[in-house]
Amino acid sequence: MKRELSVPGIAYGGDYNPEQWPEEVWAEDMRLMREAGVTMVSVGIFSWALLEPKEGAYDFTLLDRVLDLLHAHGIAADLATPTAAPPAWFFRAHPEALPVDKDGRALSYGSRQTFCPSSPAYREAALRMARALAERFADHPAVAMWHVHNEYGCHNAECYCDESAAAFRRWLRRRYADDLTALNDAWGTRFWSQWYYDWDEILPPRPTGAVPNPTHQLDWRRFCSDELLSLYEAEREVLLAAAPDTPATTNFMVMYNFDALDYWRWAPKLDLVSNDHYLQSADPESQIDIALSGDLVRSLAGGPWLLMEHSTGAVNWQPVNRAKNPGELRRNALAHVARGADGIAYFQWRAAKAGAEQWHSAMLPHAGTGSHIWRDVVRLGADLRALAEVRGSVGTAEVAIVWDWNSRWAMELPSQPSGELRFQDLVRAWYEPLWRSGVAVDFVRPDADLSGYRLVLAPSLYLVDDEGASNLTAFAERGGTLAVGFHSGAVDENCHVRMGGYPGAFREALGVLTDELFPLLPGESVGLSGGGTGTLWSERVGLAGAEPVESYTTGPLAGGPAVTRNSHGEGATWYLATQPDAATLAGLLDRIRAEAGVRPVRATPQGVEAALRRGPDADYLFLINHTDRPAHVAVASDATELLTGRAVPGAVSVAAGEIAVVREPHAG
């Protein structure tokens, strides 16, 4: 049973760390939160050392006062278990709980998340803290949700200590039904004399003299994700026992620089899926990453979700941390709402004056209420109040993009045909032209129910099991359109190459047969018959029923197919055997989606982002103008712009850098 958040409308707030400030500041915090329209804050995330000053001795008086104060001012609490940052006394008592890196170095305490996920001492202490917290505050009227831990795996996704090695072996015994021969077969250990005769011979994939076993590494990544998930589940059970009706979440990190956890396995365990997202300063079009991340999180959640952290301005952990441009704070936040967020929160409420994140922006910056950021924060609060009715509305996608963490991990292992391939980049390259065209997109697992889609795209699916491959090809057989990117279907779930030619699991449905791969060197390209170029990859494609759409015009494969189309069952399949330049790829995807009958949610001028959320009685059209000129978009004759409350019959004007959210009634 999924438990729902009781905070009305679009929740608004951020991480609140009152322990960093004198108590006389708290009253000002309450006043300013009310001014900004804050409705919920996360409390206690990094307060373990203060809540348990020594083992088994708890002091919750600070939290008592803070929660009472929040409740008195009508602000809900997302109360955290502070288990992401064990205190120094814990590590002095349990030095064996410190993580060990891949090179065998034991790390020290002195920051956050410096614990071994497999440590029995850590698990015991974390559950003891969660239990004490739950028993104290389960019935507190301010507590609207539990915030379990914080950013699992952010700094300690992998630990290579002996305790982790033992836990890895236990996980493997469960995965392979205690059959060591099955593991050896799955790992291909006949190669290089790696056969294991005893479970205790198996270690984490520590550094070796040559390239380590790929399936060993893949199972390690799977184990590390599951091990952290088991910690979440254990804490969640403790909280559930004390407060069976209170929802719980933990903040995912679905963004460009994090791939440690298989969130398809995690998402069903959460009452509400929440996410942290931060911009990459070096990305000139970071709004595309916001949209991709939001669509993926909505897909994980199966509907609305919560943005648990992002930044009002600069972060502090990139090589150069730029401030946001005028209007960017508002555009970023409402872009997340457009993609399904029913809550917007920041790290953090008040900018820290000390500590490792003192240069991280906040809702209330160092400059105080006279700042541009503060004025934008207050304006955003008003915007979210105006959008309260959007809560609970869902997406409307007819296009699905296949996303799989196992495939991502496997493709980026060493000793691939090309070390230049990056899963995130390949997926974004296909996502971007859809975003520019205003086409709604969901993300799916390979084995997902695809019956609601017209078009399924698999830009990068190197690893796929038989079930997933069959599901995707059956989608085309039933009348759908399937487009597959190069180096997909190459290996099974154990990283074993599928014999008989490439692209492996998909070659029959695609009507092609590749006998040799010709990856391209950095900076190298091949000409395409449509006038564009291909980079990263090429391969010698033989036609086995498919028709060529684009051919190579230069290089050793000149004259051979580079892009193909095949009729498969009642549907069609496409294969892209290279990475076309952006314009060529956009043209191909326009052609493919038009053939599949997929239309944009709304025709907009170039540079105006369009996204649609559908409620039971109305559609909500989000229009975000990323340009320096006004834009005009056709809307329904009885439409209303929610941020201003004005009727906009037939058309809405969106000023440069601004946002419009248009309600259009619909039947049913």
Side-chain angles (χ1 to χ4, degrees), residues 116-199:
C116 165
S118 300
S119 164
Y122 168 78
R123 181 180 290 254
E124 180 183 346
L127 294 183
R128 192 172 62 237
M129 165 55 76
R131 186 172 295 107
L133 194 77
E135 290 173 352
R136 179 76 167 220
F137 297 110
D139 297 321
H140 196 288
V143 177
M145 183 166 63
W146 299 113
H147 186 306
V148 183
H149 196 83
N150 184 72
E151 294 184 336
Y152 277 102
C154 184
H155 303 288
N156 63 338
E158 299 174 85
C159 174
Y160 293 83
C161 73
D162 290 341
E163 191 64 57
S164 294
F168 182 40
R169 288 190 287 269
R170 291 192 295 270
W171 182 90
L172 290 169
R173 295 183 82 145
R174 292 192 298 271
R175 179 174 178 82
Y176 294 102
D178 214 21
D179 186 344
L180 193 54
T181 299
L183 177 141
N184 278 297
D185 289 342
W187 286 17
T189 57
R190 290 174 174 84
F191 187 81
W192 279 359
S193 188
Q194 295 173 357
W195 190 274
Y196 295 104
Y197 290 94
D198 192 289
W199 290 100

Side-chain angles (χ1 to χ4, degrees), residues 259-276:
D259 72 344
L261 305 181
D262 181 353
Y263 286 134
W264 289 122
R265 289 179 60 81
W266 282 66
K269 311 294 184 181
L270 278 61
D271 292 308
L272 295 95
V273 168
S274 62
N275 191 52
D276 295 353

Side-chain angles (χ1 to χ4, degrees), residues 593-604:
R593 69 173 176 82
E595 178 185 288
V598 173
R599 295 179 296 178
V601 298
R602 194 63 46 94
T604 63

Side-chain angles (χ1 to χ4, degrees), residues 330 379 383 386 640-648 652 659-661:
R330 187 167 178 257
R379 184 186 183 192
D383 288 338
T640 301
E641 202 289 307
L642 294 180
L643 297 176
T644 60
R646 294 199 300 263
V648 286
V652 64
I659 305 102
V661 183

